[in-house]
Amino acid sequence: MSVGSAKKKVIVREYELEIGKIQVFDNYMVSIFDEGATLTLERAYQIIGISEIHFRDKNFGFISLRKNSYAIDPTIYNYLKELENLKAFAIVSVKEIDMHNFKIEKLFYKKPMKFFIEYDNALKWVKRRVKAKKVK
C-alpha cells in the first residue's frame, strides 16, 4: 500500500478523532482509523461535520485508507449517500478481508464507490470523479 505521493499533497487541515485521523485536502478527505476502532453513526456525524466545514459549496471525494482493521456500522452509508456533493468514495487496502467487506459495504452505498490496492490509483480516480461532476 503506497502512500508516497500523498506526502507531496498539501494537507489543508488534519483532525485527530477518538478513532483515528481525518486529513482534509483541497477537494478530498482521507481517513486513517486506529486498529480495533469502531466507526459508529455518532462518529460518522463528526466526519460529515468536517466535510460540511470544508466542502459546503463544492464537490469532494473520500478515501478510506485501511492500514488497520476496524469495524464499521454499515447503516452509516445511508447517511453518506445523502451528501449530494460527495462524488467518489474509495477504499484502499491490501488485505483480503477488506476486499470482502467492500462487497458488503457497496450494498449499502449506491453511489460511486471503488476498491483499490494502490493509494495513487484511488487518488487519481477520486480526483477524476470530483472534477467531472460540477455542483449545480
Side-chain angles (χ1 to χ4, degrees), residues 12-13 15 24-26 29 45-58 60 83 85:
V12 174
R13 178 95 194 261
Y15 294 85
V24 179
F25 295 84
D26 183 41
M29 295 168 57
Y45 276 132
Q46 286 181 306
I47 298 164
I48 291 169
I50 292 168
S51 78
E52 288 173 350
I53 290 167
H54 294 277
F55 306 112
R56 182 175 301 280
D57 296 319
K58 70 179 200 173
F60 74 103
L83 295 175
N85 58 335

Side-chain angles (χ1 to χ4, degrees), residues 66-82:
R66 301 201 175 163
K67 293 179 176 182
N68 301 310
S69 295
Y70 56 89
I72 299 172
D73 176 349
T75 61
I76 287 167
Y77 291 108
N78 292 329
Y79 295 88
L80 289 182
K81 65 184 175 193
E82 300 299 316

Side-chain angles (χ1 to χ4, degrees), residues 57-119:
D57 296 319
K58 70 179 200 173
N59 290 333
F60 74 103
F62 191 92
I63 299 173
S64 175
L65 187 53
R66 301 201 175 163
K67 293 179 176 182
N68 301 310
S69 295
Y70 56 89
I72 299 172
D73 176 349
T75 61
I76 287 167
Y77 291 108
N78 292 329
Y79 295 88
L80 289 182
K81 65 184 175 193
E82 300 299 316
L83 295 175
E84 290 291 321
N85 58 335
L86 177 55
K87 299 300 179 187
F89 192 103
I91 294 172
V92 180
S93 178
V94 294
K95 296 189 286 285
E96 200 171 322
I97 186 74
D98 288 336
M99 291 179 202
H100 292 296
N101 290 342
F102 168 74
K103 291 174 184 163
I104 296 165
E105 289 173 52
K106 199 163 170 49
L107 297 173
F108 290 89
Y109 187 71
K110 303 288 188 220
K111 290 169 75 175
M113 183 183 206
K114 212 165 170 186
F115 188 93
F116 296 89
I117 292 170
E118 293 288 328
Y119 179 86

